[in-house]
Amino acid sequence: MKQVVKEGTNQIIGNVILKNAEIIFKGTDNVFYCKNKLILENCKVRFTGNHSLIYIDENDYPMSLNMRVGNDSVIYIGKDCYVNRTSHLYATERKNIIIGNQLLLSFETYFRTADPHIIYDCNLSKRVNESKSILIGDRVWIGQQSLLLKGTVIGSGGILGGHTVIANKRVPSNTLFAGNPACKVKEHVFFGYHYSTHDFTEEQEQQSLLYQEEDKKQFVYEKDKYTCSLEQIDQHLQHLSCVQDKINYIEENIIKNKHKNRFYLS
């Protein structure tokens, strides 16, 4: 039985442990949902609108994420994600941030689905900076102090170098993007999630020059019958007005799809 804490029409569902952290509700009918025990550490979570959802799947690591959701928005974070010190996720203007499993997130990165101010074309008086969701596949590595803006889509196995600024671009699976603005640096690559080179000995450095394990296929993604579209998932979520319907949709269409290539992106 999940623990449910109600603040008016807002709810916190699951075992959330706050360490120098807080969850603030300013709107109505919002839900903060965690699958199992979750430690939020050195961060602030704000619901500033109505009918929004933050859903965090099973994670053993503490989460240090400043998060803000506006009206009718979703932040979903998958299993076994690692956050190295505080980063910032802002899902606003009825757009979503969807992140798959095993994200490796370096420190002081920002995700923004919307610009703070509207920009108009001088001749047409038409808005030119419409908001868009940010969609991230499985086992993605995002380098320190990167800035992910509206319309960013990264397939499983994608990599962003440190200080990358990316907006309205698609990063295919097993591809490295870097720079400002972001551009493709290398394709057909994967990274060793469980290894950090900082304290390598000379022997470890030499061993690392060639991948030592037999099964590298687990890190290389391809399209198969289980591959689905992150963009279509996002569109379905945007058409759901009830938070419980959003929870049900996430569990049915993201969590139950456990296949490796589910978020492959060409």
Side-chain angles (χ1 to χ4, degrees):
M1 191 82 180
K2 282 192 173 293
Q3 177 183 348
V4 179
V5 177
K6 292 188 176 182
E7 295 189 16
T9 59
N10 302 300
Q11 296 184 80
I12 300 172
I13 302 175
N15 184 9
V16 184
I17 300 171
L18 301 177
K19 294 186 175 181
N20 191 32
E22 57 183 335
I23 301 174
I24 300 169
F25 294 103
K26 293 186 177 179
T28 59
D29 300 316
N30 298 295
V31 174
F32 183 99
Y33 186 103
C34 64
K35 199 72 170 169
N36 287 335
K37 184 177 77 173
L38 172 70
I39 300 173
L40 287 177
E41 191 170 53
N42 301 321
C43 60
K44 181 183 291 186
V45 176
R46 294 180 294 155
F47 290 82
T48 57
N50 308 315
H51 314 296
S52 287
L53 169 67
I54 295 177
Y55 189 126
I56 301 181
D57 210 330
E58 300 173 13
N59 279 275
D60 293 329
Y61 303 109
M63 287 280 178
S64 183
L65 289 171
N66 288 321
M67 292 182 278
R68 175 182 176 180
V69 284
N71 289 299
D72 303 299
S73 295
V74 173
I75 293 177
Y76 169 78
I77 299 174
K79 294 182 179 180
D80 302 323
C81 296
Y82 178 75
V83 179
N84 186 356
R85 300 212 305 267
T86 305
S87 288
H88 312 265
L89 280 65
Y90 301 124
T92 57
E93 204 178 2
R94 303 182 313 284
K95 298 301 182 285
N96 307 316
I97 296 174
I98 299 173
I99 296 171
N101 299 336
Q102 291 189 302
L103 174 71
L104 183 59
L105 184 63
S106 192
F107 57 85
E108 288 297 330
T109 60
Y110 280 81
F111 296 65
R112 290 181 175 272
T113 64
D115 297 328
H117 306 289
I118 300 173
I119 301 173
Y120 295 98
D121 180 280
C122 290
N123 296 316
L124 301 176
S125 298
K126 183 179 179 181
R127 183 176 179 179
V128 297
N129 65 335
E130 293 183 8
S131 299
K132 295 180 180 179
S133 295
I134 296 172
L135 311 172
I136 311 293
D138 296 321
R139 204 173 182 278
V140 169
W141 179 14
I142 298 175
Q144 67 187 56
Q145 295 179 319
S146 292
L147 176 59
L148 287 75
L149 299 173
K150 54 190 183 293
T152 297
V153 184
I154 304 177
S156 294
I159 305 170
L160 290 187
H163 296 264
T164 296
V165 179
I166 184 168
N168 208 34
K169 287 185 178 179
R170 292 163 58 90
V171 177
S173 291
N174 296 113
T175 304
L176 166 63
F177 271 53
N180 179 9
C183 60
K184 183 167 67 177
V185 175
K186 189 76 173 175
E187 56 186 356
H188 307 303
V189 293
F190 69 92
F191 63 95
Y193 187 94
H194 297 293
Y195 305 103
S196 173
T197 63
H198 291 313
D199 297 316
F200 266 14
T201 63
E202 182 179 355
E203 180 182 1
Q204 288 172 315
E205 181 184 356
Q206 289 301 312
Q207 289 177 345
S208 73
L209 297 180
L210 185 66
Y211 189 71
Q212 301 293 321
E213 298 181 26
E214 292 183 4
D215 184 17
K216 70 177 184 182
K217 289 184 179 179
Q218 61 182 314
F219 306 133
V220 179
Y221 298 89
E222 59 186 2
K223 186 175 182 179
D224 62 21
K225 64 180 181 179
Y226 302 109
T227 302
C228 58
S229 168
L230 279 167
E231 289 97 331
Q232 288 183 6
I233 289 173
D234 174 56
Q235 288 298 316
H236 280 292
L237 281 172
Q238 288 188 47
H239 285 99
L240 297 174
S241 57
C242 173
V243 173
Q244 185 58 54
D245 289 343
K246 295 176 183 180
I247 292 173
N248 295 341
Y249 183 83
I250 286 170
E251 293 183 339
E252 188 66 30
N253 294 277
I254 298 180
I255 294 175
K256 284 188 177 181
N257 185 351
K258 301 182 184 298
H259 298 281
K260 186 195 81 170
N261 294 311
R262 59 180 184 162
F263 297 141
Y264 168 80
L265 186 67
S266 59

